[in-house]
Amino acid sequence: MDVDFSPEQRALRDEFRAYMRGIMTPDLREELAQPLATEGGGPLWRQAMRQMGSDGWIGLGWPREWGGRGYGPIEQYIFIEEVTRAGLPFPYLTTESIGPAIAEFASPAIRDALLPKILAGELVVAIGYSEPHAGTDMAALRTRAERDGDHYVINGQKVYTSLAHIADYVFLAVRTGDPETLPRHKGLSILLVPTSAEGFSFTPIYTVGDGETNATYYDNVRVPVENLIGEENRGWQVVTGQLNRERLTLMNPGTANLLYQQTVEHARNTRDGSGALLIETPRVQRLLASVYSQLRVLQLACRKQAWAIAQGTLDVADASAIKVYGYEAFLDCYRQMLEVLGPDGVLKRGSPGALLQGQLELIYRSVPVYGFAGGTNEIQRDLIAQFGLGLPRAKR
Ligand SMILES: Cc1cc2nc3c(=O)[nH]c(=O)nc-3n(C[C@H](O)[C@H](O)[C@H](O)COP(=O)(O)OP(=O)(O)OC[C@H]3O[C@@H](n4cnc5c(N)ncnc54)[C@H](O)[C@@H]3O)c2cc1C
């Protein structure tokens, strides 16, 4: 069995890798190094997104009818791995997770209006599921949408709505059913809410990884009925499919691969106190071998999932297993890479003597988010037990 890319896929990857070197200009890197710009949103970042869209890269694996290039999920996965490897903060949940949900469940009007813009790099969609009292237990959410003629009127509050400060829409989970008559998870719906809508507002929450997420507020926000994604009161089905795709995309090892290569380069060119090249010392060799093997396993698991999507057989337990393994591998790999760099590895970017532009230090601070983004790892283990091992559903 050949688990590697085909020669054509490798050629496409190399072409895109070279293309990204042109996109990542010094000016764009400078913009991204500014406080709170690590997730994009600045003018040069928006320009780069549009450029990649109009050059046909964002929709590489998408059907032509929505502006894609007509390749499949494996090529789309190559795009994601490479765009993150290049160091561009790419809103991949919009293209890889929300986009497919819109394609599958949205009204034709919304689908045909939004998908081409997403693939053109013109549109960012944030995810609004979590609330102050509903994280893991999402079915406890209280934000409510009432039908009023051909509109829904939304009232409530979300927390951790990442990217809402640069997004055009929020993919919002709301309660539409009557909690007295419907089981909690059966009364939920998904609405696409424009961030330009009257009554929508947000406040920032700053994270230890120099990033920003948001609390978002909905005060009599009116959205047309056609913004309903899927059927009313059947949002759970939309959410579970979206989350499985999210778990795969979150764990792609593009950034880790780049930092690994840079760490190896550092070890090749740096000597320890005794004058030996780091790369020649058994301790560093062991650390690098451990990182290499973990990243390679993760890469193969992600590629297998991309293949499963191409076959239409995305598996819940596999998606959760990648999430658990990927998070633990990231933590371990970044820690070991920092050990290779030594004390200067933990200097922040901009500090004299910072190594790898402080990128490894920054990512090590950011990585804990992977432990709960897309559902905490405790819950992923429950899903693996239930769907992968056939054990009884855990009590909630
Ligand atoms: C930086 C950041 C970005 C985020 N971005 C988004 C976003 O864009 N959109 C969005 O909707 N949400 C987002 N989230 C929210 C994230 O999905 C939630 O934090 C996550 O679902 C956990 O919910 P919680 O924080 O309320 O923790 P809780 O649900 O209160 O969990 C606390 C702990 O208890 C454990 N636990 C809870 N229930 C069980 C159980 N039944 N069995 C075993 N253990 C359990 C959990 O695993 C966890 O360890 C983000 C969070 C952060 C911090």
Side-chain angles (χ1 to χ4, degrees):
M1 182 173 68
D2 185 2
V3 292
D4 211 344
F5 295 137
S6 68
E8 293 76 20
Q9 288 164 341
R10 279 202 293 274
L12 198 63
R13 178 197 63 193
D14 293 346
E15 183 190 344
F16 183 54
R17 195 174 283 184
Y19 171 88
M20 282 309 292
R21 283 197 278 275
I23 288 285
M24 296 302 295
T25 60
D27 285 350
L28 175 57
R29 286 185 190 280
E30 182 60 31
E31 180 181 289
L32 295 172
Q34 298 309 308
L36 300 177
T38 48
E39 282 148 296
L44 295 180
W45 176 83
R46 288 190 189 276
Q47 195 179 313
M49 288 289 294
R50 287 198 161 92
Q51 186 69 51
M52 289 193 308
S54 66
D55 290 338
W57 287 109
I58 296 180
L60 193 61
W62 280 78
R64 290 179 189 279
E65 60 179 306
W66 292 313
R69 291 254 297 268
Y71 287 93
I74 296 180
E75 287 79 6
Q76 188 67 23
Y77 176 75
I78 290 174
F79 163 75
I80 286 298
E81 207 175 281
E82 289 301 318
V83 82
T84 47
R85 185 182 179 283
L88 186 78
F90 184 78
Y92 43 72
L93 294 182
T94 299
T95 53
E96 311 307 309
S97 186
I98 302 294
I102 290 176
E104 188 175 350
F105 294 107
S107 64
I110 288 289
R111 202 180 54 201
D112 296 344
L114 297 195
L115 286 180
K117 287 191 179 164
I118 288 177
L119 302 187
E122 293 171 5
L123 214 99
V124 176
V125 185
I127 297 177
Y129 297 162
S130 303
E131 296 187 1
H133 302 284
T136 298
D137 186 14
M138 188 185 148
L141 67 83
R142 298 177 187 169
T143 296
R144 219 182 145 79
E146 302 284 354
R147 185 78 184 258
D148 179 22
D150 53 4
H151 281 75
Y152 285 100
V153 182
I154 308 165
N155 281 290
Q157 179 189 339
K158 296 284 172 179
V159 72
Y160 303 127
T161 320
S162 301
L163 298 187
H165 55 296
I166 62 169
D168 305 276
Y169 287 88
V170 180
F171 193 79
L172 190 75
V174 292
R175 185 164 300 286
T176 39
D178 179 357
E180 301 288 316
T181 55
L182 279 176
R184 294 184 316 155
H185 68 285
K186 288 208 169 143
L188 305 183
S189 303
I190 299 293
L191 289 171
L192 258 185
V193 179
T195 52
S196 57
E198 200 173 321
F200 171 83
S201 60
F202 66 89
T203 50
I205 301 169
Y206 301 113
T207 67
V208 287
D210 288 358
E212 174 178 343
T213 178
N214 308 278
T216 51
Y217 311 94
Y218 307 81
D219 180 10
N220 285 316
V221 172
R222 294 178 73 83
V223 297
V225 169
E226 68 177 16
N227 286 28
L228 179 69
I229 307 294
E231 291 174 41
E232 188 176 280
N233 293 338
R234 302 197 62 180
W236 197 255
Q237 188 194 355
V238 181
V239 167
T240 47
Q242 181 274 316
L243 281 174
N244 284 330
R245 284 186 295 265
E246 172 170 341
R247 285 166 197 148
L248 163 67
T249 321
L250 277 174
M251 291 302 141
N252 93 78
T255 309
N257 281 337
L258 177 67
L259 288 167
Y260 169 71
Q261 280 182 0
Q262 292 177 344
T263 305
V264 170
E265 219 32 56
H266 173 83
R268 277 192 219 287
N269 295 305
T270 310
R271 293 182 184 277
D272 67 10
S274 70
L277 277 174
L278 289 180
I279 195 92
E280 287 170 0
T281 64
R283 185 184 66 87
V284 167
Q285 288 173 353
R286 263 198 309 276
L287 289 167
L288 291 176
S290 163
V291 173
Y292 174 84
S293 49
Q294 292 186 72
L295 292 183
R296 191 74 180 127
V297 169
L298 181 59
Q299 191 168 42
L300 290 175
C302 286
R303 289 178 185 179
K304 182 181 168 230
Q305 279 295 86
W307 174 82
I309 293 175
Q311 307 300 307
T313 57
L314 181 60
D315 182 77
V316 175
D318 281 354
S320 294
I322 285 185
K323 168 78 179 14
V324 172
Y325 177 78
Y327 169 61
E328 293 180 355
F330 281 155
L331 268 184
D332 200 42
C333 289
Y334 289 134
R335 182 186 58 73
Q336 294 188 81
M337 287 192 247
L338 278 172
E339 258 188 70
V340 172
L341 296 189
D344 289 352
V346 294
L347 293 175
K348 277 180 87 167
R349 64 182 168 188
S351 308
L355 298 176
L356 314 189
Q357 295 89 43
Q359 285 304 311
L360 195 48
E361 184 277 331
L362 176 63
I363 197 93
Y364 192 63
R365 270 188 287 135
S366 317
V367 87
V369 75
Y370 294 107
F372 38 85
T376 66
N377 277 11
E378 287 82 359
I379 298 308
Q380 303 316 309
R381 287 191 166 91
D382 275 357
L383 294 173
I384 294 166
Q386 186 184 344
F387 292 99
L389 306 178
L391 297 176
R393 186 176 188 278
K395 281 193 179 153
R396 298 265 165 85

